[in-house]
Amino acid sequence: MKKILIANRGEIALRIMRSAKEMGIKTVAVYSEADREALHVRYADEAICIGPPPSNQSYLLGENIIAACEATGAEAIHPGYGFLSENAAFARQVKEAGLILIGPTPEAMEIMGNKLSAKAAALSHKIPMVPGTEEAITDVEEAKRRAVEVGFPILIKAAAGGGGKGMRIVNHVDEFIEQMELAVSEAISAFGDGAVFIERYVSSPRHIEIQVLGDTHGNVVHLFERECSIQRRHQKVIEEAPSSILTEDIRREMGACAVAVARAVNYVGAGTVEFILDENLDFFFLEMNTRLQVEHPVTELITGIDLVKEQIKIARGEVLGFTQDDLKINGHAMELRVYAEDPLNNFLPDIGTLQTYKTPKGNGVRVDDGFEQGMEIPIYYDPMIAKLITFGKDREEAIARMVRAIDEYQITGIQTTLGFGKFVMTHDVFISGKFDTHFVSKYFKDDSLDAGTEDEALIAALAAVLTLKKPTTLSSTTAQQVQSSAWRKNRTQLS
């Protein structure tokens, strides 16, 4: 494997290229017309344009990516995350073209890409499951009857998707029909598949995931857990490793379950098995992501393992160079996803020019990014600018370094989640480790002040976020002014 094409953009493309370069492997970047001057394009040994700015005309066109391989002589494709990274049809296209996909098999993607077949695979190995239905339900009355059997509150979830789409919490039986219809409609819109299933709703959940690696020789290991409970819109914003709440016994049990899930589908490559942990510290299988995760750096820091290099070695047919007994947790790592979003406006994406962009430095600080000062944040793609990661000998030091790094990180010209990150890092509930996935809704708008009105809640959040000492990423405007978003305006104009 002498040349790899990275079928992605931004920070993850750069991150993959750096590991490939250290392995003596040449890299090919693909880019849309909007990314012609992007950093990943300049960093690669070669670059080739694959289409116009919209992702469905460029990064999501498998045939264009395979054609780029043929034009440049690349032998393998690393899909990163997002775009085509979990697309089984694309994985088959790659195989049929005589190329290597640095990822799992199409069969594993198909099984784990559907939540119901993933649950069936986990059940075959007696992995703990949240009580609910084991099959898709489309008949509303039948679904209502089953929901009553499971017991309210319940969660309606799209079988084919993620990211909070097609998901509805139902607290009472008289709300069920309306919420079921909304979930099905949203699932059809987002995934083209209206199949949903029902689970008991865990009221105070923690989101814990286990990183796994499997080679082509039957070896599977786990690289411990990541805590991903700080979320907005059911999507992660802050992650850490290890979790502050797991005991050694629970960690061992969850790791064994994650390995069993991977073995159930003969998993090859890097994958992540996700679990829900309830208030009693009982855990339940949620899903498996068949790709590298956004939050993989925290695992790399506590284990000393370069996950991208391991993916490449596995794709080359090499045996894992370590066993489960060789792996140990060393220190603590935190990650903040630095999004071009306005936390005070429901985390609505923002666009604009990075008028100031200066990253933090120093011991225990890592920044994975794909931008530099003066660049535009494009409207067409995910609004993540960077991942800010800190490492310390323990959780206290990792948090302290994150706070220091946020203070040093200077971004102006757009709204970002930096201020929100500092809000979380300095919050007593987060510091104590006694938080769950409802942290944002519970504390972000009415933590320090007794906000009796919506305006007062917004002002309370603003006061907490505006503790940044450097040029702020959040404008100190009135609550009414904060409600505007350049991203929304531009999206409206484009449509």
Side-chain angles (χ1 to χ4, degrees), residues 87-141:
N87 188 305
F90 175 66
R92 286 198 172 88
Q93 280 182 283
V94 172
K95 186 176 181 180
E96 290 167 2
L99 301 167
I100 299 169
L101 181 72
I102 301 174
T105 64
E107 292 77 19
M109 287 187 188
E110 283 178 336
I111 293 171
M112 290 302 170
N114 182 286
K115 288 183 171 61
L116 289 174
S117 57
K119 287 178 70 172
L123 278 170
S124 70
H125 282 66
K126 299 182 179 179
I127 308 300
M129 309 293 293
V130 178
T133 61
E134 297 175 14
E135 70 286 329
I137 298 179
T138 54
D139 182 87
V140 175
E141 288 301 326

Side-chain angles (χ1 to χ4, degrees), residues 134-288:
E134 297 175 14
E135 70 286 329
I137 298 179
T138 54
D139 182 87
V140 175
E141 288 301 326
E142 172 64 12
K144 182 178 177 180
R145 186 185 67 78
R146 298 290 292 277
V148 171
E149 290 177 357
V150 171
F152 289 89
I154 61 99
L155 195 61
I156 303 172
K157 299 173 73 173
K165 296 180 178 66
M167 183 184 295
R168 286 288 186 277
I169 299 168
V170 187
N171 292 301
H172 304 288
V173 66
D174 55 2
E175 304 171 357
F176 183 83
I177 293 177
E178 179 185 2
Q179 295 301 318
M180 171 85 173
E181 290 172 347
L182 286 171
V184 170
S185 175
E186 189 172 325
I188 291 171
S189 175
F191 314 113
D193 183 349
V196 298
F197 62 99
I198 294 167
E199 287 181 346
R200 177 172 64 84
Y201 178 62
V202 179
S203 59
S204 299
R206 304 277 290 235
H207 187 138
I208 309 289
E209 60 188 30
I210 305 287
Q211 176 72 58
V212 296
L213 284 174
D215 65 22
T216 56
H217 304 272
N219 301 301
V220 184
V221 299
H222 72 83
L223 288 84
F224 312 109
E225 82 277 2
R226 295 185 288 254
E227 169 82 60
C228 306
S229 298
I230 304 297
Q231 305 178 0
R232 51 90 176 101
R233 297 194 300 273
H234 302 288
Q235 294 177 325
K236 308 161 192 170
V237 187
I238 292 172
E239 302 97 354
E240 62 180 299
S243 169
S244 62
I245 199 171
L246 293 197
T247 65
E248 282 300 324
D249 286 343
I250 297 174
R251 177 174 292 117
R252 193 178 307 109
E253 289 176 31
M254 290 182 80
C257 286
V259 168
V261 170
R263 290 191 183 281
V265 291
N266 298 314
Y267 196 82
V268 172
T272 298
V273 182
E274 303 198 356
F275 296 92
I276 287 292
L277 189 76
D278 70 12
E279 59 272 21
N280 300 316
L281 300 186
D282 293 323
F283 64 87
F284 308 97
F285 173 77
L286 183 61
E287 62 182 342
M288 183 176 189

Side-chain angles (χ1 to χ4, degrees), residues 457-468:
L458 189 61
I459 292 167
L462 180 63
V465 174
L466 290 179
T467 55
L468 282 170

Side-chain angles (χ1 to χ4, degrees), residues 81-93:
Y81 48 71
F83 293 136
L84 295 170
S85 62
E86 295 181 281
N87 188 305
F90 175 66
R92 286 198 172 88
Q93 280 182 283

Side-chain angles (χ1 to χ4, degrees), residues 58-80:
S58 52
Y59 296 106
L60 289 173
L61 290 182
E63 57 269 27
N64 287 15
I65 290 167
I66 290 172
C69 283
E70 294 169 349
T72 58
E75 305 149 274
I77 297 172
H78 195 307

Side-chain angles (χ1 to χ4, degrees), residues 6 8-18 38-40 81 292-297 335 337-338 357 366-371 382 384-389:
I6 294 83
N8 218 296
R9 63 180 299 278
E11 62 84 18
I12 187 57
L14 279 165
R15 187 264 168 277
I16 294 164
M17 289 174 189
R18 291 188 174 111
L39 296 186
H40 76 281
Y81 48 71
L292 194 68
Q293 293 280 88
V294 174
E295 57 272 19
H296 75 272
E335 176 176 300
R337 301 188 189 190
V338 184
Y357 186 76
R366 167 177 166 179
V367 178
D368 285 13
D369 62 5
F371 290 93
D382 184 272
M384 189 167 70
I385 302 168
K387 298 183 304 199
L388 174 59
I389 310 109

